């Protein structure tokens, strides 16, 4: 099946993405040119340059859209990839095929929505859409794109159809994206998938054209996104937002009469619905996720497995879960052997599975959550018990948390009473989720604040920064030195929960989550030192300095200052707005003070 892409943009037209980039950079955006191509307003024989530009708006949000159907001879097969120029390797297509359909034992009749995550094939060329990376720096760490992974958002339909040989119509509409905006993309699919199954490809082409006209996903801006007659109002969080709050402005009748859907969140799942069967053990599960322990969620369907895995990853927010996680994982996955081998310890990963085969294959894993059907909002399932792993022998084992893990912290009975009271009073699931999310947030913040405080103390004093020396190094993180700080400034200052906090910290310091968190903080602090060093240079009288130094030393200074400017742009250093302009002025003044032959050479080494 082939879809015909619409004609390229006309000369002089301006892309929404260009405008957004211009706003972010505070300047007019230049015309983008595809690699080896001509500018947009020049004729291009094969239209390739224009075609790539044509889809810039689309590729800011999505990599591609796939339709996966069932072929009697081939099994699952990708029938459509749109836009047609989208690149997927054979391995990626195979993963998408198997992950877009529920396991046969799930028995998903009707419409089912779920999410999966898979590795990008190695050796893939970086997208031309590198401009979007500048938006990434303003995102909270847990929403930043992972360059090694794609997300797949699935709307699967299975209905009886006597006209088909198999007796069933089975098809999935799948959005492939780098963005972890689960709630947002599921909402998009709810708007377009049902009609797509009725109207087929022209409808899909029209929907993709709408996406291509969207503004870029700039964090902190309220965005109005039209899709097939519906306008969605969303706001992507920024790293400056207060954790646990939503910043979207509720609409007023006069201003937003054309808004159809307002999303208070782009990425959060219904936390209480997912934790409902296990909320007695939610604190223990928080510890397991925090410590990056191998964890399997065995569920009856992909929607329940993916929601639960995403809720687990979400429960340590605003910390990022740095290990791998697979909301829906099948025996056909390209990492199946790697993750199920018994020749080494299970990896630090959270897997969501539905195939009963995994009950045997993953029997050696230390922590397994087996859940039944998630109840509709307002109903509460029977609370599962913590059971010994040796009891997980049969495929029809009862729901439960199978682990021999002993939590470091005492259980907080207060949150359990609060949630139980909410169930008795028929409190809406959204309200229960708010309570549970706030509880996890306070628990995570109580845990991380002492670490943040200690890491801040590793920063050299500002007075030690000299413009004429390299920026000073951060002090080394010493675990025992950190442990000593807990006595006076530990989590007991902000949390009522008792227990072995020291033991929990010791375990955490050996985990992938600590490693990822500390690398991120160290990078941020190193960049801050570089920015302070740059600002110190700007405050110096450089013209006075060159009077006391040779031409060779002056040329060396100019080259170093130019490198500093390049670094500030490349790494988005947190410098004051006028610092870079001051430095450019300094460079120009120094060059003009040099002989003419040197001026010409230095101006050729890069524009200032």
């Amino acid at each position: 099946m082939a879809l015909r892409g619409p004609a390229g943009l006309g000369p002089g037209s301006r892309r929404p993405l260009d405008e957004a980039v211009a706003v972010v950079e505070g300047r007019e955006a230049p015309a983008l040119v595809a690699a080896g191509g001509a500018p947009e307003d020049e004729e291009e024989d094969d239209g390739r340059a224009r075609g790539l530009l044509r889809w810039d708006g689309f590729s800011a949000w999505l990599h591609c859209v796939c339709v996966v159907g069932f072929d009697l001879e081939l099994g699952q097969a990708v029938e459509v990839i749109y836009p047609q120029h989208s690149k997927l390797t054979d391995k990626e297509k195979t993963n998408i095929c198997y992950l877009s359909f529920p396991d046969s034992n799930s028995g998903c009749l009707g419409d089912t929505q779920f999410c999966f995550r898979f590795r990008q094939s190695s050796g893939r060329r970086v997208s031309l859409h590198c401009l979007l990376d500048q938006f990434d720096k303003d995102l909270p760490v847990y929403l930043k794109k992972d360059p090694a992974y794609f997300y797949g958002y699935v709307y699967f339909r299975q209905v009886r159809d006597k006209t088909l040989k198999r007796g069933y119509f089975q098809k999935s509409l799948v959005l492939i994206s780098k963005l972890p905006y689960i709630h947002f993309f599921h909402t998009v699919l709810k708007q377009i998938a049902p009609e797509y199954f009725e109207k087929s490809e022209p409808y899909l082409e029209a929907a993709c054209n709408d996406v291509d006209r969207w503004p870029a996903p700039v964090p902190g801006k309220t965005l109005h996104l039209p899709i097939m007659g519906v306008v969605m109002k969303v706001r992507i969080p920024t790293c400056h937002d207060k954790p646990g709050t939503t910043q979207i402005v509720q609409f007023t009748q006069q201003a937003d009469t054309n808004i159809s859907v307002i999303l208070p969140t782009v990425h959060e799942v219904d936390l209480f619905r997912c934790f409902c069967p296990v909320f007695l053990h939610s604190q223990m599960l928080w510890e397991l996720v925090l410590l990056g322990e191998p964890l399997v969620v065995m569920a009856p369907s992909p929607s329940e497995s993916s929601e639960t895995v995403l809720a687990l990853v979400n429960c340590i927010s605003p910390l990022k879960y740095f290990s791998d996680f697979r909301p829906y994982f099948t025996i056909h996955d390209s990492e199946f052997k790697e993750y199920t081998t018994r020749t080494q310890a299970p990896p630090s990963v959270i897997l969501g599975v539905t195939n009963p085969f995994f009950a045997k294959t993953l029997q050696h894993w230390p922590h397994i959550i087996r859940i039944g059907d998630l109840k509709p909002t307002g109903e509460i399932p029977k609370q599962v018990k913590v059971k010994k792993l040796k009891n997980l022998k049969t495929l029809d084992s009862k729901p439960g948390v199978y682990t021999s893990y002993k939590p470091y912290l005492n259980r907080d009975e207060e949150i359990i009473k609060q949630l139980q009271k909410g169930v008795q009073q028929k409190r809406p699931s959204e309200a229960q989720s708010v309570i549970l999310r706030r509880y996890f947030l306070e628990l995570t913040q109580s845990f991380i604040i002492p670490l943040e405080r200690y890491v801040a103390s590793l920063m050299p004093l500002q007075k030690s920064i000299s413009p004429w020396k390299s920026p000073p190094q951060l002090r080394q993180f010493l675990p025992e030195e950190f442990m000593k700080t807990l006595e006076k400034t530990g989590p007991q200052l902000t949390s009522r929960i008792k227990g072995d906090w020291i033991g929990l910290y010791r375990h955490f310091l050996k985990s992938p989550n600590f490693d990822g968190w500390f690398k991120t903080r160290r990078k941020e602090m190193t960049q801050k030192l570089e920015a302070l060093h740059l600002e110190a240079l700007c405050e110096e009288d450089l013209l006075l300095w060159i009077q006391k130094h040779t031409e060779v030393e002056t040329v060396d200074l100019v080259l170093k200052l130019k490198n500093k400017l390049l670094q500030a742009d490349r790494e988005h250093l947190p410098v004051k707005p006028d610092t870079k302009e001051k430095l450019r002025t300094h460079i120009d003044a120094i060059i003009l003070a040099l002989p003419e032959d040197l001026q010409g050479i230095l101006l050729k080494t890069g524009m200032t």
Side-chain angles (χ1 to χ4, degrees):
M1 285 190 199
L3 291 177
R4 216 177 84 249
L9 294 173
S13 63
R14 186 167 166 86
R15 307 292 310 127
L17 181 71
D18 298 341
E19 289 169 7
V21 172
V23 168
V24 169
E25 295 187 349
R27 59 175 171 77
E28 280 296 302
L32 294 177
V33 184
E40 194 177 358
D41 56 359
E42 288 181 21
E43 286 301 315
E44 182 71 24
D45 290 343
D46 60 6
R48 269 181 307 175
R50 206 163 50 218
L52 285 167
L53 283 163
R54 164 73 185 80
W55 289 105
D56 271 351
F58 179 91
S59 60
W61 293 89
L62 292 167
H63 179 71
C64 65
V65 178
C66 297
V67 178
V68 181
F70 192 88
D71 185 286
L72 276 174
E73 291 177 12
L74 302 172
Q76 280 112 279
V78 175
E79 296 177 347
V80 173
I81 298 175
Y82 199 73
Q84 286 171 298
H85 67 259
S86 304
K87 296 283 189 290
L88 287 171
T89 66
D90 289 343
K91 188 178 179 182
E92 287 165 350
K93 284 181 195 171
T94 302
N95 274 329
I96 291 167
C97 278
Y98 285 115
L99 289 166
S100 297
F101 271 43
D103 280 318
S104 54
N105 65 291
S106 296
C108 298
L109 267 177
D111 293 355
T112 305
Q113 281 191 263
F114 58 95
C115 159
F116 60 82
R117 187 171 179 262
F118 64 102
R119 265 187 212 162
Q120 179 176 297
S121 294
S122 56
R124 174 190 278 281
R125 285 180 64 190
V126 177
S127 163
L128 284 172
H129 229 289
C130 54
L131 271 172
L132 288 171
D133 293 342
Q134 64 185 307
F135 304 141
D136 223 37
K137 71 182 169 66
D138 294 323
L139 286 168
V141 66
Y142 53 87
L143 285 183
K144 289 184 189 292
K145 295 194 294 290
D146 188 327
Y149 289 90
F150 281 120
Y151 283 83
Y153 301 98
V154 182
Y155 195 106
F156 170 72
R157 175 167 286 184
Q158 178 169 263
V159 288
R160 284 192 173 87
D161 187 339
K162 291 177 184 175
T163 63
L164 298 173
K165 224 175 192 181
R166 193 175 163 82
Y168 284 96
F169 170 90
Q170 292 175 307
K171 197 161 279 196
S172 284
L173 182 62
V174 190
L175 308 180
I176 303 295
S177 177
K178 287 278 184 185
L179 304 175
Y181 302 159
I182 294 101
H183 185 61
F184 169 74
F185 285 117
H186 279 330
T187 306
V188 171
L189 279 168
K190 272 180 195 164
Q191 302 300 330
I192 63 171
E195 282 202 65
Y196 162 71
F197 290 128
E198 303 298 326
K199 299 176 182 174
S200 204
E201 281 134 65
Y203 183 86
L204 182 60
E205 183 177 326
C208 289
N209 285 334
D210 278 352
V211 175
D212 191 42
R213 284 190 283 269
W214 285 357
V218 182
K221 285 184 75 175
T222 299
L223 305 172
H224 294 168
L225 309 174
I227 183 99
M228 302 312 287
V230 172
V231 179
M232 296 184 295
K233 181 177 177 178
V234 302
R235 180 187 178 277
I236 296 162
T238 78
C239 52
H240 310 295
D241 293 349
K242 187 182 174 186
T245 59
T246 175
Q247 305 285 325
I248 189 110
V249 181
Q250 293 303 312
F251 72 97
T252 58
Q253 221 100 47
Q254 295 128 345
D256 285 345
T257 47
N258 63 333
I259 302 294
S260 317
V261 180
I262 296 179
L263 296 185
T265 176
V266 291
H267 66 285
E268 290 168 347
V269 294
D270 188 338
L271 206 57
F272 181 69
R273 183 170 175 264
C274 301
F275 272 94
C276 200
V278 292
F279 78 73
L280 288 176
H281 318 298
S282 52
Q283 193 173 297
M284 178 180 75
L285 295 174
W286 173 86
E287 283 189 26
L288 291 174
V289 176
L290 179 78
L291 299 173
E293 286 286 307
L295 197 55
V296 186
V297 175
M298 295 185 176
S301 75
S303 56
E304 280 139 348
S305 87
S306 63
E307 276 186 47
T308 306
V309 169
L310 293 165
L312 287 166
V313 168
N314 202 244
C315 80
I316 62 167
S317 178
L319 265 184
K320 180 180 178 176
Y321 181 78
F322 279 94
S323 296
D324 191 9
F325 60 95
R326 303 300 177 91
Y328 176 49
F329 189 75
T330 75
I331 57 173
H332 303 287
D333 197 286
S334 51
E335 278 78 58
F336 174 74
K337 283 183 180 174
E338 179 188 335
Y339 284 167
T340 57
T341 178
R342 287 174 181 259
T343 57
Q344 57 194 48
S348 173
V349 63
I350 303 177
L351 298 181
V353 302
T354 60
N355 194 323
F357 177 72
F358 282 106
K360 189 176 180 185
T361 315
L362 300 177
Q363 216 173 9
H364 61 297
W365 277 48
H367 319 290
I368 296 170
I369 306 168
R370 194 175 186 96
I371 55 173
D373 291 311
L374 293 181
K375 301 291 182 189
T377 303
E379 293 182 42
I380 184 158
K382 187 180 174 186
Q383 285 296 292
V384 302
K385 294 180 179 177
V386 174
K387 304 175 183 183
K388 292 281 187 281
L389 274 165
K390 64 176 189 288
N391 296 337
L392 188 71
K393 290 175 181 172
T394 58
L395 297 183
D396 57 351
S397 294
K398 290 180 180 176
V401 180
Y402 293 83
T403 181
S404 52
Y405 177 80
K406 187 177 181 297
Y408 287 98
L409 305 181
N410 303 340
R411 192 156 77 177
D412 186 346
E413 299 295 341
E414 205 170 304
I415 185 69
I416 291 166
K417 284 177 191 169
Q418 207 177 347
L419 292 171
Q420 283 174 329
K421 188 179 178 184
V423 171
Q424 289 158 6
Q425 294 176 346
K426 295 190 164 39
R427 189 187 287 147
S429 181
E430 293 85 355
Q432 294 279 77
S433 283
V434 168
I435 292 167
L436 191 56
R437 188 168 278 111
R438 191 189 305 129
Y439 162 72
F440 281 137
L441 174 65
E442 288 171 1
L443 190 55
T444 305
Q445 285 182 324
S446 291
F447 181 80
I448 210 71
I449 284 168
L451 277 161
E452 289 280 8
R453 192 182 287 121
Y454 173 71
V455 166
S457 75
L458 305 180
M459 188 86 163
L461 295 173
Q462 193 162 345
K463 65 182 181 185
S464 67
I465 297 170
S466 163
W468 306 114
K469 293 178 184 174
S470 295
Q473 299 289 304
L474 295 174
R475 283 199 308 115
Q476 194 181 347
F477 187 107
L478 301 171
E480 290 311 314
E481 187 180 63
F482 164 66
M483 293 297 171
K484 284 175 188 170
T485 67
L486 296 175
E487 194 177 328
K488 289 182 180 175
T489 56
Q492 70 276 8
L493 297 180
T494 51
S495 177
R496 62 177 176 262
I497 298 168
K498 307 292 182 192
D500 182 11
W501 285 96
I502 300 281
L504 186 62
Y505 280 114
R506 286 195 189 282
H507 196 153
F508 178 71
L509 294 182
K510 297 171 187 169
S511 74
N513 285 333
F514 169 73
D515 194 45
W517 172 81
F518 183 60
K519 277 179 181 167
T520 304
R521 293 294 289 116
R522 187 170 54 196
K523 184 183 176 186
E524 288 168 358
M525 291 163 74
T526 303
Q527 287 184 334
K528 181 66 180 168
L529 284 171
E530 291 285 357
L532 290 170
H533 187 247
L534 203 61
E535 283 163 15
L537 270 168
C538 283
E539 298 308 314
E540 286 292 305
D541 186 341
L542 298 179
L543 285 176
L544 182 65
W545 183 90
I546 65 170
Q547 289 170 19
K548 300 173 184 176
H549 292 79
T550 64
E551 280 183 7
V552 172
E553 288 170 317
T554 303
V555 169
D556 189 48
L557 175 67
V558 170
L559 295 175
K560 280 179 178 172
L561 292 176
K562 285 189 174 190
N563 278 334
K564 279 277 182 190
L565 267 179
L566 286 171
Q567 182 193 13
D569 286 330
R570 187 177 62 246
E571 297 179 14
H572 307 297
L573 294 183
V575 290
K576 290 173 187 169
D578 60 338
T579 299
K580 288 192 275 187
E581 205 45 56
K582 268 188 190 175
L583 201 58
R584 285 190 186 96
T585 307
H586 278 320
I587 293 170
D588 290 342
I590 295 168
I591 291 174
L592 287 173
L594 288 166
E596 278 188 27
D597 57 335
L598 280 176
Q599 284 183 32
I601 293 166
L602 287 171
L603 288 169
K604 282 177 189 172
T605 60
M607 297 302 289
T608 53

